[in-house]
Amino acid sequence: MSKLNLIAGALIAASAFSVQAAVIVDRNDVPGPQKVIDFESFDGYVVNNGSLNIGGVTFSSTDEFVVGQSMADLAENGAWGGNGNHFFSFEKIGSMTLNLSFAQPTKGVAFDYSIWDTDPDGSAMLTARYFDSANNLIKSTKFIFSAFGNSTYNAFQSFGFVSEGAGIARMTLSGDGVVFDNLTMTAAVPEPGQYAMLLAGLGLMGTIARRRSR
């Protein structure tokens, strides 16, 4: 897949955070350590009005979606299923909303996306909303772009958000005919207290092992 340069559009956002929080258009800008879900372990798995947990992220919607899609025709936007690639696909022609809940709140999240359906005027829109653990909206972003066209076959755009702290517990994606891949997030890092408990546990196991050997 070829990376599409930023095209004419608008990022419309309102944020409660300071300048450290930012909308990003490059997955590399997600703070490390990074964890990536690429959907390659699935092959056209259909979820209809339900949920699915993948690597600590629960995907749910009242509409049908497909995980590990590889044969979706994106019309003039190409087919992401080329070269054995698998991705996530909205299966509804018309706006639908996907909910993503993180097992551990994350500092940043981003993904690569494209579309297989456009509005009558040839444009399309993707809206992402980010919530904290108390379900407060902390960021809402809307990306409006022109149709990719034949000259950008198999094109995609990266999109995401980095919070001021590890405060993103849930996000929603709303759009029309959306496909996305390579969901990238900041992996949870154990707190110092957790490290201490881990070391203490390892020490206790070592003591028990020595006593048994005697």
Side-chain angles (χ1 to χ4, degrees), residues 1 3 26-27 80 110-114 156-159 179-184:
M1 292 185 292
K3 179 98 182 236
D26 188 335
R27 290 190 297 109
W80 270 20
F111 51 90
D112 301 328
Y113 77 97
S114 187
F156 67 93
Q157 176 63 56
S158 297
F159 187 59
V179 292
F180 70 92
D181 200 1
N182 300 317
L183 180 66
T184 304

Side-chain angles (χ1 to χ4, degrees), residues 17 30-33 35 55-57 100-109 130-135 138 161 163-171 184-191 194:
F17 285 157
V30 173
K35 176 180 180 180
V57 181
L100 295 83
S101 298
F102 304 100
Q104 297 290 333
T106 183
K107 181 177 177 62
V109 58
Y130 306 85
F131 302 83
D132 63 18
S133 56
N135 209 34
I138 55 177
F161 175 65
S163 68
E164 191 173 45
I168 305 172
R170 182 174 72 89
M171 66 178 291
T184 304
M185 70 207 76
T186 304
V189 178
E191 297 292 332
Q194 291 177 305

Side-chain angles (χ1 to χ4, degrees), residues 75-127:
E76 70 271 19
N77 302 323
W80 270 20
N83 301 318
N85 183 53
H86 292 76
F87 51 90
F88 190 106
S89 176
F90 285 20
E91 288 301 287
K92 180 181 178 182
I93 297 178
S95 184
M96 71 167 280
T97 297
L98 177 73
N99 184 76
L100 295 83
S101 298
F102 304 100
Q104 297 290 333
T106 183
K107 181 177 177 62
V109 58
F111 51 90
D112 301 328
Y113 77 97
S114 187
I115 57 169
W116 54 264
D117 187 40
T118 62
D119 292 333
D121 64 356
S123 65
M125 181 168 60
L126 178 71
T127 301

